[in-house]
Amino acid sequence: MWRELAPLGRNEDSGGYRRYAWTAADTDCRAWFRAQAEARGLAVETDRNGNQWAWLGDPLAAGAVVTGSHLDSVPDGGAFDGPLGVVSSFAALDELRRRGAEFVRPLAITNFGDEEGARFGLACVGSRLAAGQLTVEAAHRLRDADGITLPQAMEAAGHDPGALGPDPERLARIGAFVELHVEQGRALDLTGDPVGIASAIWPHGRWRFDFRGEANHAGTTRLADRRDPMLTYAETVLAARREAELAGAVATFGKVAVEPNGVNAIPSLVRGWLDSRAADQDTLDTVVAGIEQAAREHAARTGVDLDVVRESFTPEIAFGHALRDEIGALLKGSANRDTGHDIPVLGTGAGHDAGILSASVPTAMLFVRNPTGISHSPAEHADENDCAAGVTALADVLEGLACR
Ligand code: GLV
Ligand code: MN
Ligand code: MN
């Protein structure tokens, strides 16, 4: 599976993945998913919001056990963020069949659409729509960098956007959702464990800062006469670092657009996107308020106009103790048998569909060790033995939840 998936959407120059929602690369990944499901005799459906489901057993029965992740990527993402969860789900089913496991509940493997939000700016669009955490109107307003709307992109990729919207009956039939994911930090490397269980996801959000100044000649405009939004942007980036450091949080400007983007012109507009996350809501609010205040002060001093728009927000998610404890018990002495201690329980600053669904469905996550912690980069990695340990752990969990 890994070898077949590896070339899809891979950029030769960077070695990273560009699997953006509803592009040709995404279509290829979806075809791969369908082929894997059909090869296993699973019934494939795409739900109204563009999420793929591969069913073993009756999709309309109650108490389904669902596992899976996403196949889309950030710009020049790694191979593991998302795909490891989907591949491991199919591999875990293969393992359960080898064990002769007898399913007493329906099992579904999922590929959630547009988890990363790389194209339309909002993460977890497929799961947010299904869970009613994104309105159809707001989804219709999403546009990519070329001005193509989400419905237009869906339609061009062959998915009818006419049925977008909440899917409460579908979610009500799910007894448990378990997402396996590569760890995006080094907690497991530090404890020496191949597999861990998620406790919570930090509250996180994305804010767009529009700094408007005055375009002018880079050679002839006196420094004192300039209204240069790039300076305010630069000050704001430094403020983000400062505020995050003070609060023990994180804040990142990772995407910026400049108009007119000419080497010999003072910009008229600098648009920067802030991603900020913290262990609790108060801290996050303090960090973002501090960044915005620093930006406004500099803007006012230099004649720059500033608009700040919160483009998305996900509150803190604490995965329910009941399922987490059940999984801990199922994995006791198995997943981490080499290290001889209990499976670690860890929080994360990364967002996931599991976090979105946790408001509607009992939800849990498994993490697989990432020896460098690097993620959202072509250098993202997990060792094959650890991936295999992840598959075994997921199979143990699914067997405990879905089989006799
Ligand atoms: C998704 O991977 C996110 O945490 O931004
Ligand atoms: Mn990601
Ligand atoms: Mn992911």
Side-chain angles (χ1 to χ4, degrees):
M1 282 189 274
W2 205 247
R3 265 193 304 275
E4 274 182 34
L5 195 52
L8 307 183
R10 189 166 183 273
N11 181 271
E12 288 302 323
D13 296 331
S14 68
Y17 288 93
R18 299 182 183 175
R19 295 168 173 163
Y20 311 141
W22 307 110
T23 60
D26 189 38
T27 299
D28 289 348
C29 289
R30 287 166 178 273
W32 173 88
F33 181 91
R34 175 174 288 277
Q36 292 300 325
E38 287 174 353
R40 290 169 175 80
L42 308 180
V44 184
E45 59 166 341
T46 303
D47 71 19
R48 47 199 296 191
N49 298 303
N51 307 305
Q52 287 182 298
W53 301 72
W55 286 97
L56 176 70
D58 181 1
L60 297 178
V65 174
V66 182
T67 184
S69 190
H70 61 97
L71 294 174
D72 69 316
S73 79
V74 296
D76 287 333
F80 295 80
D81 176 356
L84 184 63
V86 179
V87 168
S88 297
S89 298
F90 285 120
L93 172 60
D94 295 345
E95 164 68 12
L96 289 177
R97 283 176 161 165
R98 264 194 299 277
R99 291 181 191 175
E102 195 183 326
F103 284 85
V104 291
R105 288 164 180 260
L107 176 80
I109 296 173
T110 50
N111 166 30
F112 281 100
D114 200 0
E115 194 273 348
E116 297 286 8
R119 181 169 178 192
F120 297 99
L122 178 67
C124 300
V125 168
S127 56
R128 273 185 215 273
L129 276 165
Q133 295 180 30
L134 169 66
T135 64
V136 179
E137 298 71 34
H140 279 227
R141 284 197 298 272
L142 293 173
R143 283 177 189 274
D144 71 6
D146 298 321
I148 298 170
T149 66
L150 176 66
Q152 286 168 340
M154 282 183 164
E155 200 147 28
H159 180 75
D160 172 15
L164 291 185
D167 216 345
E169 291 87 13
R170 174 182 295 274
L171 298 190
R173 288 193 296 269
I174 301 177
F177 174 63
V178 182
E179 178 171 1
L180 177 147
H181 205 279
V182 69
E183 200 203 338
Q184 297 170 289
R186 285 190 52 224
L188 293 173
D189 187 52
L190 295 172
T191 60
D193 293 277
V195 177
I197 303 178
S199 55
I201 298 180
W202 282 14
H204 56 282
R206 299 178 181 186
W207 289 261
R208 196 185 77 225
F209 283 58
D210 289 348
F211 303 95
R212 285 197 170 74
E214 185 176 50
N216 212 332
H217 196 293
T220 60
T221 316
R222 291 184 336 134
L223 294 180
D225 292 340
R226 297 181 181 204
R227 291 171 50 217
D228 184 349
M230 187 63 86
L231 293 182
T232 316
Y233 172 66
E235 284 284 341
T236 308
V237 174
L238 295 174
R241 175 65 183 229
R242 223 168 29 238
E243 295 293 329
E245 247 163 13
L246 279 172
V250 288
T252 309
F253 278 94
K255 176 175 169 181
V256 62
V258 182
E259 288 177 19
N261 212 21
V263 72
N264 54 355
I266 297 160
S268 56
L269 171 72
V270 176
R271 180 167 277 162
W273 281 264
L274 169 69
D275 175 311
S276 188
R277 312 179 189 213
D280 62 79
Q281 177 80 54
D282 286 350
T283 306
L284 181 57
D285 290 346
T286 305
V287 168
V288 176
I291 297 167
E292 182 171 345
Q293 189 186 338
R296 291 208 180 280
E297 281 170 11
H298 192 274
R301 275 203 308 282
T302 56
V304 166
D305 296 325
L306 171 60
D307 286 319
V308 181
V309 179
R310 190 177 84 175
E311 291 198 331
S312 72
F313 185 74
T314 310
E316 181 181 6
I317 283 132
F319 291 108
H321 275 273
L323 184 59
R324 195 211 296 180
D325 292 350
E326 190 177 355
I327 287 177
L330 287 168
L331 295 180
K332 206 165 178 54
S334 65
N336 292 18
R337 65 169 77 85
D338 293 345
T339 58
H341 55 256
D342 280 355
I343 186 161
V345 178
L346 34 129
T348 176
H352 301 285
D353 294 307
I356 302 296
L357 294 182
S358 69
S360 321
V361 172
T363 300
M365 290 190 74
L366 297 177
F367 291 124
V368 170
R369 172 165 51 193
N370 174 338
T372 62
I374 292 177
S375 188
H376 286 185
S377 150
E380 181 180 75
H381 181 71
D383 286 342
E384 198 169 324
N385 285 342
D386 289 349
C387 295
V391 170
T392 304
L394 183 60
D396 291 347
V397 167
L398 298 177
E399 187 170 19
L401 296 177
C403 299
R404 199 181 301 280

